[in-house]
Amino acid sequence: MNAVTLPDGPSLPRFVQGGMGLVAPLWTMRRLRKRYGSAFTIEIPIFGKAVVISDPAEVKQLFTTSPEIADNLDMNLGRVLGPNSFFAISGDTHKKQRKLLIPPFHGRRLRAYEAIVEEEAVREMATWPDGREFATLDSMMRITLNAILRAVFGADGAELAELRVLLPAMVKLGSRLAVLPIPRTDLGGWSPWGRAFRYRREYDSIVDRLIAAARQDPGLDERNDVLALMLQSRYDDGSGMSRDEIADQLLTLLTAGHETTATTLAWTIERLRRHPTVLRRLADEADAGGSDLREATITEIQRVRPVIDMTARQVRAPGMRLGRWTLPEGQVVLVSIYLIHKNEAVFPAAASFDPDRFLGHRPDTYQWIPFGGGARRCIGAAFANMEMNVVLRTLLRDFVLEPTSARGERWHSRGIASCPAKGGRAVVRRRGAARKRSFDEDHGAGASAAEVPA
């Protein structure tokens, strides 16, 4: 292996670079790309000196490199999701578990979950105020949490009610702790990490009861929920998943499967209100029963507002040649999703919100990467896209979303994910009420809001 060559980067003290990366990550990425180009180094808390890349050819090379050369990070979300989480495992273990868990999120099983998503969307949207501005993020969180709980565990029950209370607090805290070091000393049960461990004990207790009940269900082999499929799945040697593997993977699916999707839906509201022409076309398409523009819009939302701004690998071989660079063993490589999505050479007029760029064709999976890429691409990507499609379809069918001339909401970091700072604020009117209001205005009836039926 040739001598190590790394991209240039800032010479600021480590704590300054780390603070910039935590407090203003997107601004920092833009500034560093402008100064150093598509690759640079930066000191990141926990990871140390990391190489950040956004050149499409280098990103593709990294994603297609074998796990023996570059694979999962040593420090990853497994610290908060468990050592058997997809985020923690690597190599053959990752490959084997991925093979077991792909079926629930594809094909006919995926289509079976659509009804669940629509039911949850209709139920939550029934609570939305008519004609009054409100933040949609919490509402989208409830839709996606309820949908993934039902998809994972099947029928409702006391345990799911407990998880509905526990998981939001668990996810919020875990998102922040994931970018911070674990303290070397015990800071007590009410410290952030102490609370995280307490939440985990509560989660384990609930999941143990659900697993026990599922094992005793005589109709287990007829169920389509993810837990039932996990319990029935077998590795090539005939063995099943262990209790710890099931618990950690379920937590991964529950947490990763609802916050990021909900946040993208809140960004969808935020973007569409500021692009009335696209919004009007979407409403007309929904009325006609189409979906092409809606699917292209969801793809474009994920390009311009990626909820996760980085994905990563770590060099496992004694050395690795990556494009222009020669990296040492242990080197952390961060792929900037944000920067590659903003690359004018990849997406012309990248600053513009233009769903038409994706009409009629799928994006390149090494350039459009909101779900990561390669062997570690998010296993729930198809489920998330289906869920966003169904929720947006339901909204367009049942409501008129009013546009706005207000400035776009700024990015707000929640730790792992970035959301609209004001929660994706919306003003909606139920379709029946909106039609009557439009008719009255056209005919001079002048009906007040109180006179328009809900």
Side-chain angles (χ1 to χ4, degrees):
M1 180 60 66
N2 296 327
V4 170
T5 56
L6 300 180
D8 291 335
S11 58
L12 295 168
R14 291 182 61 181
F15 76 92
V16 175
Q17 295 185 48
M20 291 168 58
L22 288 175
V23 175
L26 303 184
W27 179 87
T28 300
M29 291 298 108
R30 290 197 304 270
R31 295 284 296 183
L32 293 179
R33 178 179 175 112
K34 184 176 181 179
R35 179 167 182 178
Y36 299 105
S38 64
F40 47 84
T41 58
I42 183 173
E43 291 281 350
I44 302 286
I46 300 177
F47 301 138
K49 190 172 187 177
V51 172
V52 179
I53 63 172
S54 59
D55 176 84
E58 292 172 353
V59 171
K60 182 175 182 178
Q61 182 187 346
L62 183 67
F63 282 165
T64 55
T65 295
S66 70
E68 290 76 20
I69 297 176
D71 199 9
N72 198 24
L73 297 177
D74 288 329
M75 302 293 286
N76 53 59
L77 282 171
R79 299 182 311 138
V80 294
L81 296 175
N84 300 287
S85 160
F86 271 124
F87 291 102
I89 58 179
S90 58
D92 287 342
T93 302
H94 177 267
K95 184 177 180 180
K96 290 175 182 177
Q97 287 207 25
R98 189 176 181 91
K99 182 179 178 181
L100 290 187
L101 295 177
I102 281 178
F105 296 101
H106 291 81
R108 65 175 182 82
R109 290 193 178 103
L110 183 63
R111 291 190 292 274
Y113 298 142
E114 289 189 20
I116 291 175
V117 175
E118 184 169 3
E119 287 173 13
E120 293 301 334
V122 169
R123 176 159 49 186
E124 175 64 27
M125 291 176 186
T127 69
W128 286 4
D130 196 282
R132 178 167 55 84
E133 189 175 71
F134 67 104
T136 60
L137 180 58
D138 287 345
S139 192
M140 296 303 183
M141 289 282 192
R142 286 189 289 271
I143 292 172
T144 57
L145 177 58
N146 288 336
I148 194 65
L149 281 171
R150 290 178 60 189
V152 166
F153 294 115
D156 213 333
E159 286 80 13
L160 266 65
E162 293 178 57
L163 287 171
R164 286 190 186 98
V165 176
L166 175 64
L167 285 173
M170 198 173 180
V171 169
K172 184 177 181 179
L173 178 61
S175 294
R176 299 190 183 283
L177 293 181
V179 296
L180 298 175
I182 299 177
R184 295 180 180 272
T185 57
D186 186 353
L187 300 178
W190 293 101
S191 67
W193 279 104
R195 279 187 289 134
F197 296 144
R198 187 174 73 252
Y199 288 155
R200 179 59 198 243
R201 289 193 295 271
E202 292 176 26
Y203 164 81
D204 283 337
S205 175
I206 296 168
V207 168
D208 283 346
R209 299 199 304 270
L210 287 164
I211 291 175
R215 290 190 190 280
Q216 296 172 9
D217 184 354
L220 181 65
D221 58 351
E222 299 175 3
R223 287 168 46 172
N224 284 320
D225 57 276
V226 176
L227 174 58
L229 296 170
M230 280 186 173
L231 291 172
Q232 297 173 83
S233 64
R234 293 292 180 269
Y235 293 112
D236 291 340
D237 64 2
S239 64
M241 295 180 71
S242 70
R243 178 264 169 212
D244 289 346
E245 287 174 337
I246 291 174
D248 287 359
Q249 294 295 21
L250 287 176
L251 182 58
T252 301
L253 296 174
L254 292 170
T255 55
H258 99 270
E259 183 186 28
T260 52
T261 305
T263 305
T264 301
L265 284 166
W267 276 121
T268 301
I269 299 296
E270 190 275 343
R271 289 290 83 197
L272 289 181
R273 292 192 69 206
R274 288 155 180 83
H275 294 85
T277 300
V278 175
L279 181 56
R280 184 165 54 251
R281 290 172 60 199
L282 284 168
D284 291 342
E285 180 190 62
D287 287 345
S291 64
D292 290 348
L293 179 60
R294 185 167 66 249
E295 292 169 4
T297 298
I298 292 168
T299 302
E300 177 72 342
I301 292 288
Q302 292 173 92
R303 184 191 70 82
V304 299
R305 293 295 186 271
V307 172
I308 307 296
D309 63 310
M310 292 278 189
T311 187
R313 298 289 191 275
Q314 190 164 15
V315 177
R316 297 298 181 187
M320 175 186 177
R321 183 74 182 176
L322 178 62
R324 301 160 283 172
W325 319 108
T326 304
L327 311 180
E329 184 175 1
Q331 178 65 58
V332 172
V333 184
L334 302 177
V335 177
S336 176
I337 299 171
Y338 174 77
L339 289 181
I340 197 169
H341 284 188
K342 293 288 186 181
N343 189 333
E344 290 282 337
V346 178
F347 299 104
S352 300
F353 177 69
D354 180 19
D356 288 301
R357 75 172 80 237
F358 293 119
L359 267 179
H361 73 278
R362 295 180 180 275
D364 186 293
T365 54
Y366 299 112
Q367 298 175 354
W368 179 86
I369 51 173
F371 297 105
R376 304 197 70 87
R377 187 173 188 266
C378 175
I379 197 170
F383 184 92
N385 279 326
M386 175 276 292
E387 194 169 20
M388 290 184 281
N389 195 338
V390 171
V391 172
L392 182 55
R393 181 186 70 198
T394 304
L395 188 158
L396 294 167
R397 180 193 68 199
D398 297 346
F399 294 88
V400 171
L401 177 62
E402 295 195 353
T404 181
S405 58
R407 292 185 62 182
E409 296 183 34
R410 62 180 179 84
W411 302 65
H412 171 70
S413 174
R414 291 168 57 93
I416 296 296
S418 294
C419 67
K422 296 181 180 180
R425 301 191 70 79
V427 177
V428 300
R429 297 187 185 276
R430 286 168 175 77
R431 291 292 293 266
R435 287 194 184 102
K436 184 178 189 308
R437 180 168 173 262
S438 177
F439 178 86
D440 288 340
E441 289 173 352
D442 289 346
H443 292 78
S448 68
E451 294 170 325
V452 177

